[in-house]
Amino acid sequence: AQSVTQLGSHVSVSEGALVLLRCNYSSSVPPYLFWYVQYPNQGLQLLLKYTTGATLVKGINGFEAEFKKSETSFHLTKPSAHMSDAAEYFCAYGGSQGNLIFGKGTKLSVKP
Amino acid sequence: NAGVTQTPKFQVLKTGQSMTLQCAQDMNHEYMSWYRQDPGMGLRLIHYSVGAGITDQGEVPNGYNVSRSTTEDFPLRLLSAAPSQTSVYFCASSYSDASLDTQYFGPGTRLTVL
């Protein structure tokens, strides 16, 4: 069965530090992969998505993710964290039934 | 464009009561979905629709009904609320296949069932 695993339910970084949020997927077919962000008391919004082509995907707010087929990973990074990045981040996989399969989420805290 | 709107924002029900969560979008999207979000569980798909008149079940459909009579609206009905349905509910829409295309989410409805 297709699934998405996000390593770490909580990640805490200092302002200005590297942000690394991990996502691994399990599938035997090429995936469509997404990262969504949820700010407190809001709905989700798309950060970036991988469909085909370039494996390094750039998104909004300075985030990027690299698709690594050999590692079945799609980790999200940002070189320098900002206080406004504090939110919950969800990795999602485009399922075969025309829907999204979400990971359980990683809550990012940014310390001043 | 208002995007995806949901009403109400908050609701408290007693066990056994029924209610309808409203969802509307003004982007002429064919695909619409309902998710529930529970702590530590991520988002789980309840029902989805690929166009007016067409609906299908997702991962956790029990206790919920949907219909899609227009492109714009996709209401979610709880026929007999149970405490296990206490959750935050999100409606989402996309122009094409939700597994390929960007989904646009509403602000959510926080439901408590006592």
Side-chain angles (χ1 to χ4, degrees), chain B residues 96-111:
Chain B
S96 63
D97 192 324
S99 67
L100 311 174
D101 198 6
T102 302
Q103 288 207 60
Y104 295 84
F105 285 81
T109 294
R110 188 174 295 272
L111 176 68

Side-chain angles (χ1 to χ4, degrees), chain A residues 32-34 36 38 41-46 49-51 88 90 93-105, chain B residues 31 33 35 37 40-45 48 50 57-58 88 90 97-108 110:
Chain A
Y32 285 71
L33 294 163
F34 304 78
Y36 282 84
Q38 184 181 31
N41 299 314
Q42 294 186 26
L44 282 70
Q45 64 183 84
L46 181 71
K49 65 179 178 182
Y50 169 79
T51 54
E88 190 158 18
F90 293 92
Y93 174 97
S96 59
Q97 293 183 314
N99 53 46
L100 280 184
I101 299 167
F102 283 89
K104 295 185 177 182
Chain B
Y31 287 71
S33 306
Y35 295 89
Q37 182 180 27
M41 299 292 290
L43 276 78
R44 293 180 292 170
L45 182 67
Y48 65 101
V50 300
Q57 296 181 351
V88 181
F90 289 100
D97 192 324
S99 67
L100 311 174
D101 198 6
T102 302
Q103 288 207 60
Y104 295 84
F105 285 81
R110 188 174 295 272

